[in-house]
Amino acid sequence: MKSLNQWFEEYAVSHQNRTNKKIHYICVPAIFFSIIGLLMSIPSVLISNNLKLNQPIIENWAVVVLVLVMIFYIRLSVVMAVKIAVFALFCLILNYYIGQYVSLSMFSIAVFGVAWIGQFYGHKIEGKKPSFLKDLQFLMIGPAWVVQNLFSKK
């Protein structure tokens, strides 16, 4: 299994251009956020009936998927897993409140689409294909790479 640093080194190969990096710093979190919103939009009667916590922020499919996602990150780095968990919690809460005012699924689809357009535009500028075309696990590395680059001491 690759270490987190090995993943970052391989991911960085197609993320050298300054403009592409800036686009990724916006679009990768937006995609992560929108996926959580989309998952929260899936009816969760099965989860709610079994948990009976009456807490819509945690009784949804996004939390189920995030538990699996966190296993992936914990295997790479507990510290990074905690950072991603904090961001995921923020996404859960913000999506919950957005869903009180607009259709969360439609909002999430719009954010998802715009963010992916940005991603592909960034890679056009970069002149290199997105890393996930080589290995789908890079879809999980992207958020960690953004967190590492935005919040690490340089």
Side-chain angles (χ1 to χ4, degrees):
M1 185 171 107
K2 292 180 190 175
S3 72
L4 187 58
N5 285 334
Q6 288 171 318
W7 280 111
F8 285 163
E9 287 171 11
E10 196 171 338
Y11 191 82
V13 169
S14 60
H15 300 88
Q16 297 294 311
N17 180 281
R18 191 171 164 196
T19 301
N20 187 30
K21 283 183 180 181
K22 287 179 181 179
I23 289 170
H24 275 64
Y25 295 157
I26 296 167
C27 292
V28 169
I31 291 168
F32 188 94
F33 175 81
S34 67
I35 290 171
I36 290 175
L38 287 168
L39 290 167
M40 288 177 75
S41 300
I42 299 171
S44 57
V45 175
L46 179 68
I47 298 169
S48 297
N49 287 345
N50 289 324
L51 291 179
K52 297 182 180 165
L53 298 173
N54 199 24
Q55 296 295 323
I57 291 177
I58 59 171
E59 287 182 342
N60 61 67
W61 289 108
V63 172
V64 173
V65 171
L66 282 169
V67 167
L68 299 173
V69 166
M70 295 316 301
I71 292 169
F72 175 84
Y73 287 118
I74 288 168
R75 290 179 60 214
L76 291 174
S77 164
V78 173
V79 172
M80 182 57 69
V82 169
K83 292 175 183 178
I84 296 292
V86 169
F87 179 62
L89 180 61
F90 170 78
C91 291
L92 284 165
I93 293 167
L94 187 56
N95 271 300
Y96 171 76
Y97 285 108
I98 289 170
Q100 301 302 303
Y101 298 100
V102 298
S103 166
L104 184 57
S105 59
M106 300 300 357
F107 178 82
S108 298
I109 288 168
V111 170
F112 186 84
V114 169
W116 272 109
I117 290 168
Q119 290 284 86
F120 284 109
Y121 177 71
H123 279 287
K124 181 178 179 180
I125 292 168
E126 180 85 39
K128 295 184 180 160
K129 293 179 183 177
S131 300
F132 76 87
L133 294 177
K134 178 181 175 186
D135 187 335
L136 286 177
Q137 291 181 84
F138 280 112
L139 291 171
M140 301 283 284
I141 298 302
W145 180 82
V146 168
V147 166
Q148 182 72 16
N149 281 287
L150 288 178
F151 300 106
S152 65
K153 295 179 182 176
K154 294 183 181 185

